[in-house]
Structure formats: structure tokens, C-alpha cells
Amino acid sequence: MPPRWPSIERSQQFHLDFHVPREELDAAEREALELGAELLQGDGGRRGFRVYLDPAGHPFCLRVD
């Protein structure tokens, strides 16, 4: 069951951060999207991370290493 926050009934179970070299961030995003991820929050190149949902609705981030 995907999380919905803030919600006690459907809270976030875990969160994964995948660290990638800055020069590979765009390629990693393309691969994640091809595998069914949905971009929730991009960073516009400012913060060094992007937030996604996996196909089941669980959040994860790609972070600059």
C-alpha cells in the first residue's frame, strides 16, 4: 500500500536515497523514469537531489554524490 503523508494510517514505511555522481544525475533520472518512476520534485540543479515515487507509490531520491 503506498504511503500518504501526513497520515498515521498510511505512513511512509522507508525512504531510499540513491547517490549518483553529479554528471550522471540526468542519465539516472532517465533510467528511473523508464523503469516507471514518477518525478515528484526536481531541484532545478540547486539542491542536489530529486524526489520520485516508484511504481508502487513509495518515495525515493536521487542525490548528488
Side-chain angles (χ1 to χ4, degrees):
M1 175 183 311
R4 290 213 174 102
W5 61 93
S7 170
I8 295 172
E9 294 82 27
R10 293 179 67 178
S11 64
Q12 181 174 323
Q13 295 89 27
F14 64 91
H15 178 93
L16 295 174
D17 287 336
F18 296 97
H19 295 261
V20 296
R22 181 174 295 280
E23 64 273 5
E24 295 179 22
L25 184 58
D26 290 335
E29 176 176 88
R30 281 191 300 275
E31 187 173 350
L33 295 174
E34 288 172 5
L35 292 169
E38 173 188 350
L39 177 65
L40 284 185
Q41 183 179 39
D43 71 348
R46 296 180 305 274
R47 295 181 294 179
F49 69 92
R50 300 173 187 170
V51 183
Y52 305 84
L53 291 179
D54 72 11
H58 299 99
F60 69 94
C61 289
L62 293 178
R63 301 187 68 83
V64 172
D65 189 17

